PDB file of all heavy atoms in Angstrom:
ATOM      1  N   GLY A  27      74.868 103.539 125.837  1.00  0.00           N
ATOM      2  CA  GLY A  27      75.102 102.095 125.830  1.00  0.00           C
ATOM      3  C   GLY A  27      74.891 101.456 124.475  1.00  0.00           C
ATOM      4  O   GLY A  27      74.739 102.133 123.456  1.00  0.00           O
ATOM      5  N   SER A  34      77.360 115.294 120.528  1.00  0.00           N
ATOM      6  CA  SER A  34      78.036 116.290 121.361  1.00  0.00           C
ATOM      7  C   SER A  34      78.300 117.547 120.549  1.00  0.00           C
ATOM      8  O   SER A  34      78.478 117.482 119.331  1.00  0.00           O
ATOM      9  CB  SER A  34      79.344 115.687 121.874  1.00  0.00           C
ATOM     10  OG  SER A  34      80.130 116.655 122.476  1.00  0.00           O
ATOM     11  N   GLY A  35      78.388 118.682 121.199  1.00  0.00           N
ATOM     12  CA  GLY A  35      78.626 119.960 120.525  1.00  0.00           C
ATOM     13  C   GLY A  35      80.086 120.188 120.196  1.00  0.00           C
ATOM     14  O   GLY A  35      80.927 119.295 120.348  1.00  0.00           O
ATOM     15  N   GLY A  37      83.856 120.857 120.182  1.00  0.00           N
ATOM     16  CA  GLY A  37      84.871 120.520 121.163  1.00  0.00           C
ATOM     17  C   GLY A  37      84.499 119.359 122.058  1.00  0.00           C
ATOM     18  O   GLY A  37      85.240 119.009 122.959  1.00  0.00           O
ATOM     19  N   GLY A  38      83.364 118.738 121.819  1.00  0.00           N
ATOM     20  CA  GLY A  38      82.871 117.679 122.681  1.00  0.00           C
ATOM     21  C   GLY A  38      83.424 116.313 122.340  1.00  0.00           C
ATOM     22  O   GLY A  38      84.178 116.144 121.390  1.00  0.00           O
ATOM     23  N   SER A  48      77.917 107.743 116.863  1.00  0.00           N
ATOM     24  CA  SER A  48      78.527 108.850 117.606  1.00  0.00           C
ATOM     25  C   SER A  48      78.730 110.029 116.675  1.00  0.00           C
ATOM     26  O   SER A  48      79.269 109.869 115.583  1.00  0.00           O
ATOM     27  CB  SER A  48      79.877 108.428 118.186  1.00  0.00           C
ATOM     28  OG  SER A  48      79.728 107.351 119.066  1.00  0.00           O
ATOM     29  N   THR A  55      85.773 114.479 119.277  1.00  0.00           N
ATOM     30  CA  THR A  55      86.204 113.096 119.121  1.00  0.00           C
ATOM     31  C   THR A  55      84.970 112.209 119.159  1.00  0.00           C
ATOM     32  O   THR A  55      84.158 112.343 120.060  1.00  0.00           O
ATOM     33  CB  THR A  55      87.166 112.687 120.253  1.00  0.00           C
ATOM     34  OG1 THR A  55      88.301 113.540 120.200  1.00  0.00           O
ATOM     35  CG2 THR A  55      87.596 111.248 120.128  1.00  0.00           C
ATOM     36  N   GLY A  61      80.251  97.708 114.487  1.00  0.00           N
ATOM     37  CA  GLY A  61      79.133  97.977 113.601  1.00  0.00           C
ATOM     38  C   GLY A  61      78.628  99.392 113.672  1.00  0.00           C
ATOM     39  O   GLY A  61      77.645  99.741 113.032  1.00  0.00           O
ATOM     40  N   GLY A  77      83.670  96.648 111.100  1.00  0.00           N
ATOM     41  CA  GLY A  77      82.545  96.796 110.195  1.00  0.00           C
ATOM     42  C   GLY A  77      81.901  98.160 110.236  1.00  0.00           C
ATOM     43  O   GLY A  77      80.943  98.424 109.522  1.00  0.00           O
ATOM     44  N   SER A  80      83.802 105.373 109.680  1.00  0.00           N
ATOM     45  CA  SER A  80      84.351 106.551 110.339  1.00  0.00           C
ATOM     46  C   SER A  80      84.446 107.687 109.337  1.00  0.00           C
ATOM     47  O   SER A  80      84.929 107.486 108.228  1.00  0.00           O
ATOM     48  CB  SER A  80      85.743 106.264 110.896  1.00  0.00           C
ATOM     49  OG  SER A  80      85.690 105.284 111.880  1.00  0.00           O
ATOM     50  N   THR A  81      84.023 108.856 109.727  1.00  0.00           N
ATOM     51  CA  THR A  81      84.119 110.034 108.872  1.00  0.00           C
ATOM     52  C   THR A  81      84.674 111.168 109.702  1.00  0.00           C
ATOM     53  O   THR A  81      84.224 111.398 110.815  1.00  0.00           O
ATOM     54  CB  THR A  81      82.742 110.430 108.309  1.00  0.00           C
ATOM     55  OG1 THR A  81      82.185 109.312 107.626  1.00  0.00           O
ATOM     56  CG2 THR A  81      82.861 111.602 107.363  1.00  0.00           C
ATOM     57  N   THR A  89      89.604 106.403 111.707  1.00  0.00           N
ATOM     58  CA  THR A  89      90.075 105.035 111.903  1.00  0.00           C
ATOM     59  C   THR A  89      88.884 104.104 111.909  1.00  0.00           C
ATOM     60  O   THR A  89      87.896 104.369 112.575  1.00  0.00           O
ATOM     61  CB  THR A  89      90.831 104.912 113.246  1.00  0.00           C
ATOM     62  OG1 THR A  89      91.881 105.870 113.286  1.00  0.00           O
ATOM     63  CG2 THR A  89      91.398 103.525 113.426  1.00  0.00           C
ATOM     64  N   GLY A  91      87.586  99.787 111.958  1.00  0.00           N
ATOM     65  CA  GLY A  91      87.975  98.416 112.261  1.00  0.00           C
ATOM     66  C   GLY A  91      88.000  97.529 111.037  1.00  0.00           C
ATOM     67  O   GLY A  91      87.748  97.963 109.909  1.00  0.00           O
ATOM     68  N   THR A  95      84.928 101.162 106.798  1.00  0.00           N
ATOM     69  CA  THR A  95      85.383 102.177 105.855  1.00  0.00           C
ATOM     70  C   THR A  95      85.863 103.396 106.607  1.00  0.00           C
ATOM     71  O   THR A  95      85.411 103.678 107.717  1.00  0.00           O
ATOM     72  CB  THR A  95      84.267 102.592 104.874  1.00  0.00           C
ATOM     73  OG1 THR A  95      83.191 103.164 105.603  1.00  0.00           O
ATOM     74  CG2 THR A  95      83.784 101.407 104.051  1.00  0.00           C
ATOM     75  N   THR A  97      86.999 107.606 106.004  1.00  0.00           N
ATOM     76  CA  THR A  97      86.983 108.783 105.142  1.00  0.00           C
ATOM     77  C   THR A  97      87.582 109.958 105.907  1.00  0.00           C
ATOM     78  O   THR A  97      87.281 110.150 107.075  1.00  0.00           O
ATOM     79  CB  THR A  97      85.542 109.152 104.738  1.00  0.00           C
ATOM     80  OG1 THR A  97      84.906 108.016 104.171  1.00  0.00           O
ATOM     81  CG2 THR A  97      85.511 110.299 103.760  1.00  0.00           C
ATOM     82  N   SER A  98      88.423 110.748 105.255  1.00  0.00           N
ATOM     83  CA  SER A  98      89.013 111.910 105.914  1.00  0.00           C
ATOM     84  C   SER A  98      89.090 113.076 104.943  1.00  0.00           C
ATOM     85  O   SER A  98      89.106 112.875 103.724  1.00  0.00           O
ATOM     86  CB  SER A  98      90.412 111.562 106.435  1.00  0.00           C
ATOM     87  OG  SER A  98      90.944 112.635 107.171  1.00  0.00           O
ATOM     88  N   GLY A 101      94.359 117.051 104.408  1.00  0.00           N
ATOM     89  CA  GLY A 101      95.256 117.151 105.550  1.00  0.00           C
ATOM     90  C   GLY A 101      95.009 116.112 106.623  1.00  0.00           C
ATOM     91  O   GLY A 101      95.668 116.100 107.650  1.00  0.00           O
ATOM     92  N   TRP A 109      93.031  91.953 108.465  1.00  0.00           N
ATOM     93  CA  TRP A 109      93.594  90.710 108.971  1.00  0.00           C
ATOM     94  C   TRP A 109      94.641  90.177 108.004  1.00  0.00           C
ATOM     95  O   TRP A 109      94.367  89.912 106.840  1.00  0.00           O
ATOM     96  CB  TRP A 109      92.500  89.666 109.174  1.00  0.00           C
ATOM     97  CG  TRP A 109      93.028  88.348 109.645  1.00  0.00           C
ATOM     98  CD1 TRP A 109      93.131  87.201 108.918  1.00  0.00           C
ATOM     99  CD2 TRP A 109      93.509  88.045 110.949  1.00  0.00           C
ATOM    100  NE1 TRP A 109      93.657  86.196 109.696  1.00  0.00           N
ATOM    101  CE2 TRP A 109      93.905  86.688 110.952  1.00  0.00           C
ATOM    102  CE3 TRP A 109      93.651  88.780 112.122  1.00  0.00           C
ATOM    103  CZ2 TRP A 109      94.423  86.056 112.070  1.00  0.00           C
ATOM    104  CZ3 TRP A 109      94.175  88.155 113.242  1.00  0.00           C
ATOM    105  CH2 TRP A 109      94.555  86.817 113.211  1.00  0.00           C
ATOM    106  N   VAL A 120      97.687 102.868 106.488  1.00  0.00           N
ATOM    107  CA  VAL A 120      97.521 104.310 106.632  1.00  0.00           C
ATOM    108  C   VAL A 120      97.615 104.969 105.265  1.00  0.00           C
ATOM    109  O   VAL A 120      98.487 104.632 104.463  1.00  0.00           O
ATOM    110  CB  VAL A 120      98.607 104.889 107.565  1.00  0.00           C
ATOM    111  CG1 VAL A 120      98.478 106.399 107.690  1.00  0.00           C
ATOM    112  CG2 VAL A 120      98.541 104.234 108.935  1.00  0.00           C
ATOM    113  N   GLU A 125      98.040 111.900  98.539  1.00  0.00           N
ATOM    114  CA  GLU A 125      99.211 111.065  98.269  1.00  0.00           C
ATOM    115  C   GLU A 125      98.766 109.681  97.785  1.00  0.00           C
ATOM    116  O   GLU A 125      97.771 109.140  98.254  1.00  0.00           O
ATOM    117  CB  GLU A 125     100.057 110.890  99.538  1.00  0.00           C
ATOM    118  CG  GLU A 125     100.662 112.173 100.060  1.00  0.00           C
ATOM    119  CD  GLU A 125     101.500 111.960 101.310  1.00  0.00           C
ATOM    120  OE1 GLU A 125     101.793 110.801 101.673  1.00  0.00           O
ATOM    121  OE2 GLU A 125     101.853 112.972 101.944  1.00  0.00           O
ATOM    122  N   ASP A 126      99.531 109.121  96.870  1.00  0.00           N
ATOM    123  CA  ASP A 126      99.305 107.755  96.384  1.00  0.00           C
ATOM    124  C   ASP A 126      97.871 107.500  95.921  1.00  0.00           C
ATOM    125  O   ASP A 126      97.330 106.401  96.109  1.00  0.00           O
ATOM    126  CB  ASP A 126      99.693 106.728  97.451  1.00  0.00           C
ATOM    127  CG  ASP A 126     101.150 106.827  97.851  1.00  0.00           C
ATOM    128  OD1 ASP A 126     101.992 107.039  96.947  1.00  0.00           O
ATOM    129  OD2 ASP A 126     101.446 106.690  99.045  1.00  0.00           O
ATOM    130  N   LEU A 142      94.581 100.052 100.481  1.00  0.00           N
ATOM    131  CA  LEU A 142      93.374 100.869 100.579  1.00  0.00           C
ATOM    132  C   LEU A 142      92.686 100.895  99.223  1.00  0.00           C
ATOM    133  O   LEU A 142      93.301 101.235  98.210  1.00  0.00           O
ATOM    134  CB  LEU A 142      93.718 102.301 101.021  1.00  0.00           C
ATOM    135  CG  LEU A 142      94.215 102.446 102.446  1.00  0.00           C
ATOM    136  CD1 LEU A 142      94.586 103.889 102.738  1.00  0.00           C
ATOM    137  CD2 LEU A 142      93.187 101.943 103.444  1.00  0.00           C
ATOM    138  N   VAL A 145      85.732 102.717  98.159  1.00  0.00           N
ATOM    139  CA  VAL A 145      84.433 102.085  98.341  1.00  0.00           C
ATOM    140  C   VAL A 145      83.384 103.041  97.791  1.00  0.00           C
ATOM    141  O   VAL A 145      83.039 104.030  98.431  1.00  0.00           O
ATOM    142  CB  VAL A 145      84.145 101.771  99.838  1.00  0.00           C
ATOM    143  CG1 VAL A 145      82.794 101.095  99.992  1.00  0.00           C
ATOM    144  CG2 VAL A 145      85.252 100.914 100.419  1.00  0.00           C
ATOM    145  N   PRO A 150      80.268 110.116 103.034  1.00  0.00           N
ATOM    146  CA  PRO A 150      80.844 110.542 104.313  1.00  0.00           C
ATOM    147  C   PRO A 150      79.881 111.376 105.120  1.00  0.00           C
ATOM    148  O   PRO A 150      78.926 111.887 104.625  1.00  0.00           O
ATOM    149  CB  PRO A 150      82.067 111.352 103.902  1.00  0.00           C
ATOM    150  CG  PRO A 150      81.854 111.733 102.489  1.00  0.00           C
ATOM    151  CD  PRO A 150      80.886 110.750 101.904  1.00  0.00           C
TER     152      PRO A 150
END
Side-chain angles (χ1 to χ4, degrees):
S34 170
S48 300
T55 300
S80 297
T81 304
T89 305
T95 62
T97 306
S98 185
W109 178 253
V120 178
E125 296 180 11
D126 300 320
L142 291 177
V145 181

